[in-house]
Amino acid sequence: MDYRTIYQLWREKATADPDLQTELQAIEGDDEGITDRFYKDLEFGTGGLRGVIGAGTNRMNVYTVGKATQGLADHINSVTDAGSVAIAHDSRIKSDLFARTAASVLAANGIKVHMYKELMPTPMLSFAVRHLHCTAGIVITASHNPAKYNGYKAYGPDGCQLTLDDSEHVLSLIEKVDTFTGVKTVDFDAALADGRISYIDQAVIDAYLDEVAARSVHPEALKEGGLRVIYTPLHGTGNKPVRAILRRMGVEHVTVVPEQELPDGNFPTAPFPNPEIREAFGCALKLAETVQPDLLLATDPDCDRVGIAVRRNGEYVLMTGNEVGALLLNYILSERTALGTMPKSPVAVKTIVSTDLCYPIAEKYGCQMIDVLTGFKFIGEQIGLLEQKGEDNRFVFGFEESYGYLAGSYVRDKDAVVASMLICEMASFYKGQGKSLLDKMEELYAAYGMHLNTQKSFVCEGVTGMERMQEIMDDLRRNPPASIGGRKTLRVLDYEASTDVDTATGQSVPITLPKSNVLSFKLEGSAGVIIRPSGTEPKIKVYLSCRGKDRAEAGEIAQKLGDDMSRIMGF
């Protein structure tokens, strides 16, 4: 059907949420507005759905959520006669409505629903799937995106996001569902009353917190260190569980940013609720002027990412995800080795865009370092492979540069609750030695070299945005740059073609990771550039890595790499 015809159909039938009719009426006669909402279906990829909240096939609403859930239900019923699904949601606009919508569709399809009664972090959904032996899981969240976005992530029985094969099967089933006539549903309250839907009880939450606490390396450090922390959940789901674990572990001096404590999907004090950026720490930094803590801690709305700022000479310095990941890896490996609690043949996992500083750290402690594609589900997949051999205890740590960390195999997604605990413990432990985390980071750079990792993002919004991103990737494949930032390209890795080509000889070796729309250029002087379109945002991302004798030299190299990539890509 033509998108104008679909728009008229929605005017007639999209009555379940009054906000949709208000929006549809407001765009009558606005061809651009109608086109943007209806020119395509919101894509169900390996990460599920993510999009702007509103009316239309290209928006997050009760109909796109219902249609996706019907496809997921059909998938579940094709593999089992006794399916069950755990559901969680964050603080975003309409997250609770979308969670209830999904639960009602599942119940109508004969699938048992276990649902958290209030908003919960994404890692607690992954935990519930495993703990309750569910067939699948759903979390309604758009992570750290601005308030206009929401999303829908689907999980498999292992607690990881759906595999590529399962995602493709779900998508094939979604495409067969008619938005208005093909979605089965029941009254939520009726299904709750008769047991088809039930709320997850406190015992599951307590079991999760027990698992988090068990990941502590030096529990005495938190009780004895006198660490002073300012914490902000950025209006999201971290408030209760993060405070609960810090309280349990003995951190007495935690000050919560009052204006960001309670859930609010409008994010009034943090328009970009992303702990990767300094603006998200605005309220915490102001509070720090009077509290003077050792550490600022911020979790994103679904509490799977955490960022920190550390005091130095009265100022607070934000640390990158790569720096915190390297610090945590070093802390866990060094201290577990010293304590004799390291498993035999330990394994750590990072994504290909995360810092190479991890390699010498892992090597020092005899830890195998595995690289995987971007996306924490690939880290979870590696834990699953160990679990199949009865060796999941070998997994000690996993991280990605975008502030996602995990210690332990009890969940299969990044977990800002355990990361918050370990960061505070690590800071307290080094404080007892008279060092800050910044001091310890400088020690690592002194020992292993100054590794600098930066990122540039280029926005490609609208109808033509996806096309432009693909054109850029296609052009880079056809015409890989001979040099970037004045540094010769030594190897070109194409993760879609699964090839690793030596530019001097033309010889190629296969890449064994799953196919992905990612290009990597290895440059002379231990520098590198990786390019990938984001799977969740209208952006193409460029990851820059380099080494220098000090931070200033490395910064100059990174600047040249970034400027040249902007030119090469046409931005």
Side-chain angles (χ1 to χ4, degrees), residues 230-390:
I230 282 180
Y231 169 59
T232 173
L234 295 177
H235 302 290
T237 60
N239 187 35
K240 288 187 177 182
V242 170
R243 293 170 75 176
I245 197 64
L246 294 182
R247 185 167 56 248
R248 179 192 285 207
M249 302 306 290
V251 185
E252 296 180 357
H253 306 291
V254 179
T255 303
V256 179
V257 176
E259 56 267 63
Q260 295 177 331
E261 178 179 6
L262 298 180
D264 188 337
N266 291 297
F267 309 121
T269 65
F272 296 93
N274 183 352
E276 297 180 59
I277 60 176
R278 192 172 185 85
E279 288 81 355
F281 284 86
C283 294
L285 288 165
K286 186 174 181 180
L287 184 60
E289 294 173 6
T290 54
V291 175
Q292 291 290 298
D294 302 293
L295 185 70
L296 307 183
L297 198 69
T299 54
D300 69 342
D302 70 323
C303 197
D304 63 354
R305 303 170 193 250
V306 58
I308 65 171
V310 180
R311 186 168 62 184
R312 173 189 280 167
N313 301 325
E315 299 293 327
Y316 288 88
V317 180
L318 266 66
M319 300 195 75
T320 69
N322 278 310
E323 289 176 326
V324 174
L327 279 170
L328 284 169
L329 177 67
N330 180 75
Y331 172 70
I332 291 168
L333 293 180
S334 63
E335 295 311 309
R336 288 191 65 177
T337 297
L339 291 168
T341 61
M342 185 76 81
K344 184 179 180 181
S345 304
V347 172
V349 190
K350 73 173 187 69
T351 57
I352 58 173
V353 297
S354 301
T355 180
D356 290 346
L357 177 57
C358 291
Y359 294 129
I361 294 172
E363 184 179 6
K364 179 177 179 178
Y365 296 102
C367 178
Q368 181 185 359
M369 193 80 229
I370 297 175
D371 265 1
V372 296
L373 293 175
T374 303
F376 219 89
K377 70 176 182 179
F378 295 112
I379 296 177
E381 185 178 70
Q382 291 298 317
I383 304 172
L385 293 173
L386 291 171
E387 185 179 42
Q388 289 173 15
K389 298 185 289 185

Side-chain angles (χ1 to χ4, degrees), residues 20 57 91 130 139 166 185 204 258 280 299 351 391 449 518 527 541 563:
L20 300 182
T57 57
S91 59
R130 295 176 57 78
V139 61
D166 284 346
T185 189
V204 176
T299 54
T351 57
E391 299 175 357
V518 179
K541 295 186 176 183
D563 290 347

Side-chain angles (χ1 to χ4, degrees), residues 1-12 24 27-40 56-57 180:
M1 277 190 288
D2 163 272
Y3 67 86
R4 295 182 186 85
T5 304
I6 301 173
Y7 163 71
Q8 291 298 334
L9 185 65
W10 277 62
R11 284 293 305 270
E12 177 186 342
L24 290 166
I27 62 171
E28 186 171 10
D30 176 5
D31 195 62
E32 183 177 344
I34 294 172
T35 301
D36 187 46
R37 287 165 176 81
F38 291 96
Y39 82 97
K40 67 171 185 174
T57 57
F180 297 112

